[in-house]
Amino acid sequence: MNQIRSRESSSIVSTMAEELGSSASTATSSSRAKTRSFWPSILRWIPTSTDHVIAAEKRLLSLVKTPYVVEQVNIGSGPPGSKTRWFRSKSDEPRSINTVTFQSNEDSPTLVMVHGYGASQGFFFRNFDALASRFKIIAIDQLGWGGSSRPDFTCKSTEETEAWFIDSFEEWRKAKNLSNFILLGHSFGGYVAAKYALKHPEHVQQLILVGSAGFSSESDPKSEWLTRFRATWKGAVLNHLWESNFTPQKVIRYVIIIDIPLPMLVCIIKLFFFTWLVCGSINKAHVPKTGSEINICFVFNQIVLVRCLGLGPLGPDLVRRYTTARFGAYSTGEVLAGEECKLLTDYVYHTLAAKASGELCLKYIFSFGAFARKPLLQSAPEWKVPTTFIYGFQDWMNYEGAQQARQHMKVPCEIIRVPKAGHFVFIDNPTAFHSAVFYACRMYISPNLETEHLPEGLTLV
């Protein structure tokens, strides 16, 4: 099995290096061609590459004891018969989805795990061993993230953006010859999983939506604060940046390639720090707040500082500070061990510092404040797949949206809340999260259904 891992990892590196590595080399050449400045060259260097991404993934997964295989699943160049392309290219260059499959019993039900915005499949590293004892686990990096292909993002509408993720997932499913699987999605991944199940319900046995995004809209009465905030100059600036698809990652990629005077760089960094200050102090930006005000942190709370200080060694150090705080001093559940924190920090930095692609979906799926442009609540009557929602007690995603959706669903639906956990419930309290997943899938894994009771500590809404 170790040989399999080695072969697969080598294959990933060779197939992906050209795509992202060429981008890095172009940036380096461009930088060298510019007039020299007094700004130390080390501050214009992003210490990442495709090799770094793959190596970081391998190091993080070394914490997992269950044998696994990594592969790049070819999904072609675009959806057959669709006008929506997955990259701005005149060639028919194929794209691939980074896929990790864990060893399991042959008769185990298949559980496909989809990560959220600004994340990758490695975020589930604390869950693979436990879940693999009951399921055949397959975790993927969505198109444009993690170790998957990162094509140019050319979508110009909500419909095209949804197709980017839904159709690429469907092509991946076909390539893997999967059917009748349980689909789990976290946050934005929950939104994608739900949209996929609405379009292809025949393939999904059960939906598990963990802290799912996309159930609230600007018409929600609780969004009145956003209207008032937009009327201020701060709100107007931030709303303009959002609608311009001005992601923190995007601007800093250009900052590090060209020679920008240090005072201007400081101003840019202050702008992003100001964004954080709108939502709360930097050290507490991840802490849930009451009401919908926390939604404004949707994009900035996980990835802003990665791009702001992706300057030489400062970027990795700042990510370390964030992960140490979020999953350490300010953790709502189980604190990450030293090695876990170190490897997760390394992984997060390299996956986020790579070429911009899937991240650019944000403005087309959500309006400013993370309100869905096409809320899942509106599709609730069309739901055809049994669904379980899982939320941490301190999750800033409001579970009330799931409650409202359940009222309109015509299929079985449960809402489970997990104690001592925030939005990353599977990292904060993995033991309780596993119990929630096992309970949600009890009809597939338990021979004596009638003896199954809600595990202690969990709450049914």
Side-chain angles (χ1 to χ4, degrees), residues 206-331:
Q206 171 97 9
L207 261 181
I208 302 178
L209 304 182
V210 184
S212 181
F215 280 90
S216 58
S217 67
E218 284 193 54
S219 60
D220 190 321
K222 295 182 180 180
S223 68
E224 293 179 359
W225 68 270
L226 185 61
T227 302
R228 295 193 299 270
F229 179 69
R230 278 178 174 163
T232 67
W233 71 269
K234 300 174 185 178
V237 169
L238 292 178
N239 184 66
H240 177 74
L241 291 177
W242 183 286
E243 294 298 333
S244 300
N245 223 0
F246 185 85
T247 67
Q249 308 98 306
K250 186 175 182 180
V251 89
I252 300 304
R253 285 190 186 98
Y254 298 127
V255 169
I256 60 178
I257 292 175
I258 62 177
D259 289 334
I260 292 184
L262 187 57
M264 185 179 296
L265 175 66
V266 172
C267 289
I268 293 175
I269 293 176
K270 282 185 176 180
L271 169 64
F272 289 109
F273 270 86
F274 163 75
T275 304
W276 278 60
L277 292 173
V278 170
C279 310
S281 67
I282 292 177
N283 285 336
K284 297 182 179 179
H286 67 279
V287 178
K289 298 180 181 180
T290 58
S292 300
E293 294 179 0
I294 191 64
N295 286 352
I296 199 173
C297 296
F298 184 75
V299 60
F300 299 104
N301 73 337
Q302 295 179 41
I303 53 179
V304 59
L305 296 183
V306 179
R307 295 303 179 190
C308 283
L309 291 180
L311 311 173
L314 299 181
D317 181 66
L318 200 56
V319 176
R320 177 187 60 78
R321 292 173 181 269
Y322 171 76
T323 53
T324 300
R326 171 58 182 85
F327 303 111
Y330 291 92
S331 176

Side-chain angles (χ1 to χ4, degrees), residues 11 66 107 129 135 167 211 352 356 384 419:
S11 174
T66 306
D107 58 347
D129 282 331
F135 303 97
D167 293 347
L352 294 181
K384 298 180 180 179

Side-chain angles (χ1 to χ4, degrees), residues 63 126 324 335-345:
L63 299 173
R126 274 189 155 187
T324 300
V335 177
L336 289 178
E339 188 67 9
E340 288 181 314
C341 189
K342 175 183 175 182
L343 295 178
L344 180 60
T345 295

